[in-house]
Amino acid sequence: MPEWTVAQPTKLTFDTPVTDLHVRIVNGTVNIVGTDDPTAHLQVSEIEGPPLVVTQQDGTLTVAYDDLPWKGFLKWLDRKGWRRSAVVSLAVPARTRIEVGVVGAGAVVSGVQGSVSVKGVAGDTTLVALSGPVRAETVSGNVEAQSVTGDLRFASVSGDLTVVEGSGPSVRADTVGGSMILDLDPGGPTDVKLTSVSGEIAIRLPDPADADVEANTASGAISNAFDGLRVQGMWGAHKLTGRLGTGSGRLRATTVSGSIALLRRPAGEHEPEPPAASGDNAGTTDKKVL
């Protein structure tokens, strides 16, 4: 099994096929971009503390620390182990399946067609133009998803979720104290289920929209921009129900003390294009210890 120990800024190119990518870093940044290039490229532009270990076996490329396992990742709270940092950029074939774990680091994943799984103890995550299923789990980091067309799953303790131009067939999001802001533009029926304890929920739908809607809050406020829906409850608990268009989609939102807002996008409103992410494909090396 090829293995490299990366202790200083380095560039690597992997000519053998890569079908899966696993990355786990502490502090710093990881930037992953899917490309049409059949080879994978790695650049470590900054690194402090323990070295990263890079391995490639049976189509799986791993860039990680030896003491930072994927299993139980969200419970890795050894503060002494946080004394490290790395800035990592990867360009991989677009169909690669991605697993990313970050502790105090930012992560950007763009242009990937395979499944994407992100776990974060802290640090924000940006997901751009992903067409496969996406799962993001965070303790306190925020997640922004732009132009994601696959199924989206999100779970957080206090991190926020922002979805821009979401057009996937389903969204499932659960948070304790984080807020959720979803701007949806589905091309067909969409199944959305959002659950929060104290976080606020805001959903913007196109007009006209097709969805069966039910939103509940135990003690928060509800605001609604659609005439076809009705709000029940004067004091305490509030419930918003009704059908928009044919009702082919499904929207469920529940919060205990947070507020819920259902917003309307005017017909024909132009949305800005999301910023393009960039990758670094340059450079190769055949050294094993770097």
Side-chain angles (χ1 to χ4, degrees), residues 263-275:
L263 310 174
R264 178 174 56 191
R265 183 193 305 114
E269 178 178 308
H270 175 69
E271 294 290 344
E273 292 292 331

Side-chain angles (χ1 to χ4, degrees), residues 201-285:
I201 297 175
I203 308 150
R204 191 165 82 148
L205 298 174
D207 184 21
D210 290 311
D212 182 69
V213 177
E214 182 177 320
N216 299 273
T217 177
S219 59
I222 287 184
S223 58
N224 166 46
F226 289 90
D227 295 335
L229 305 178
R230 62 184 180 277
V231 178
Q232 300 172 323
M234 294 293 293
W235 308 101
H238 295 84
K239 185 175 184 179
L240 176 68
T241 59
R243 175 175 292 182
L244 300 175
T246 63
S248 57
R250 185 172 180 266
L251 172 60
R252 299 290 184 266
T254 302
T255 179
V256 177
S257 59
S259 62
I260 297 176
L262 191 59
L263 310 174
R264 178 174 56 191
R265 183 193 305 114
E269 178 178 308
H270 175 69
E271 294 290 344
E273 292 292 331
S278 61
D280 192 318
N281 296 351
T284 65
T285 181

Side-chain angles (χ1 to χ4, degrees), residues 127-210:
L127 309 170
V128 182
L130 306 181
S131 57
V134 176
R135 184 176 187 88
E137 300 175 73
T138 73
V139 176
S140 58
N142 301 325
V143 173
E144 180 176 346
Q146 302 178 17
S147 302
V148 171
T149 59
D151 291 334
L152 175 62
R153 302 290 182 269
F154 171 78
S156 172
V157 177
S158 59
D160 298 338
L161 171 65
T162 302
V163 176
V164 180
E165 293 183 342
S167 59
S170 72
V171 178
R172 294 285 186 276
D174 296 277
T175 179
V176 177
S179 65
M180 291 183 275
I181 302 173
L182 280 71
D183 179 24
L184 303 179
D185 189 14
T190 298
D191 188 5
V192 179
K193 186 176 181 180
L194 313 175
T195 305
S196 174
V197 176
S198 59
E200 298 183 350
I201 297 175
I203 308 150
R204 191 165 82 148
L205 298 174
D207 184 21
D210 290 311

